């Protein structure tokens, strides 16, 4: 049975890859959120690590999806988008919050305020979902744009340290 170029085998492959990559993305986030929770890593650093690493790692798995697997692949950042919304809507002081979402909000926050999850990190996930759906593997535009988004922020930090500004000047990031 073939429907729109999709066979049961390709559906199984895309579903399996979607599940696998979602699990691996969860593990990737859990590593950094745990390090922040343990006090080993500052949330400002974990934010940058998550920001610069998650999309390039996600893109590395694109070849393992079929050519029609864009929707299955897009579920990975969509699930993270959903988690960020839950994390951002949680009150940091409430006792009935999901601990994983609180940890996620803390890991992507500059100040520890869970509402920050609804700002830059949420926009990052929205763009990742949209670019996965629109560009997929049909053109390198999506890969280049997503890679630039991920690496560009980190590049600014490296550049800041190279130019060594005066001590009284603080970076905007």
């Amino acid at each position: 049975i073939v429907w729109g170029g999709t066979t049961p085998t390709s559906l199984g492959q895309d579903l399996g890859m979607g599940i696998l990559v979602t699990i691996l993305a969860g593990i990737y986030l859990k590593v950094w959120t745990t390090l922040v929770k343990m006090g080993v890593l500052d949330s400002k650093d974990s934010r940058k690590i998550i920001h610069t690493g998650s999309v390039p790692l996600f893109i590395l798995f694109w070849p393992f999806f079929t050519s029609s697997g864009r929707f299955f692949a897009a579920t990975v950042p969509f699930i993270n988008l959903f988690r960020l919304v839950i994390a951002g809507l949680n009150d940091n002081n409430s006792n009935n919050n999901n601990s994983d979402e609180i940890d996620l909000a803390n890991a992507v926050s500059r100040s520890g305020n869970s509402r920050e999850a609804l700002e830059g990190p949420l926009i990052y996930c929205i763009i990742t979902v949209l670019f996965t759906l629109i560009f997929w593997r049909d053109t390198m535009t999506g890969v280049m744009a997503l890679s630039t988004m991920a690496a560009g922020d980190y590049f600014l930090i490296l550049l800041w340290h190279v130019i060594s500004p005066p001590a009284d000047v603080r970076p905007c990031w």
Side-chain angles (χ1 to χ4, degrees):
I1 299 173
V2 176
W3 179 70
T6 304
T7 65
T9 303
S10 64
L11 280 175
Q13 178 180 345
D14 290 335
L15 178 62
M17 284 307 301
I19 292 169
L20 174 65
V21 176
T22 299
I23 291 169
L24 292 174
I27 291 169
Y28 178 78
L29 287 174
K30 189 67 174 174
V31 166
W32 302 116
T33 58
T34 301
L35 290 173
V36 169
K37 188 175 185 175
M38 293 170 47
V40 173
L41 188 64
D42 185 60
S43 66
K44 291 177 186 174
D45 296 328
S46 69
R47 175 184 168 90
K48 295 299 178 194
I49 293 168
I50 291 168
H51 179 75
T52 58
S54 57
V55 165
L57 291 172
F58 171 59
I59 291 172
L60 284 176
F61 284 95
W62 282 11
F64 299 104
F65 289 90
T66 66
S67 59
S68 57
R70 74 179 71 216
F71 296 104
F72 288 98
T75 59
V76 177
F78 184 77
I79 289 169
N80 285 327
L81 184 151
F82 185 71
R83 289 187 63 205
L84 284 170
V85 169
I86 292 171
L89 294 176
N90 273 328
D91 178 15
N92 288 4
N93 301 321
S94 177
N95 292 331
N96 58 358
N97 288 327
N98 183 338
S99 176
D100 285 342
E101 269 53 43
I102 292 171
D103 294 344
L104 176 60
N106 289 334
V108 298
S109 166
R110 289 182 184 104
S111 67
N113 184 344
S114 62
R115 295 274 182 210
E116 285 185 44
L118 299 175
E119 296 170 0
L122 184 66
I123 293 168
Y124 187 84
C125 282
I126 290 169
I127 291 170
T128 304
V129 170
L130 290 176
F131 278 36
T132 301
L133 292 173
I134 294 168
F135 296 108
W136 187 225
R137 299 183 319 195
D138 302 331
T139 174
M140 286 301 292
T141 304
V143 172
M144 293 303 294
L146 288 172
S147 298
T148 302
M149 178 180 71
D153 200 28
Y154 187 68
F155 177 74
L156 287 174
I157 293 169
L158 289 176
L159 182 62
W160 183 261
H161 290 290
V162 168
I163 62 172
S164 300
D168 60 340
V169 176
R170 301 283 302 155
C172 61
W173 59 85

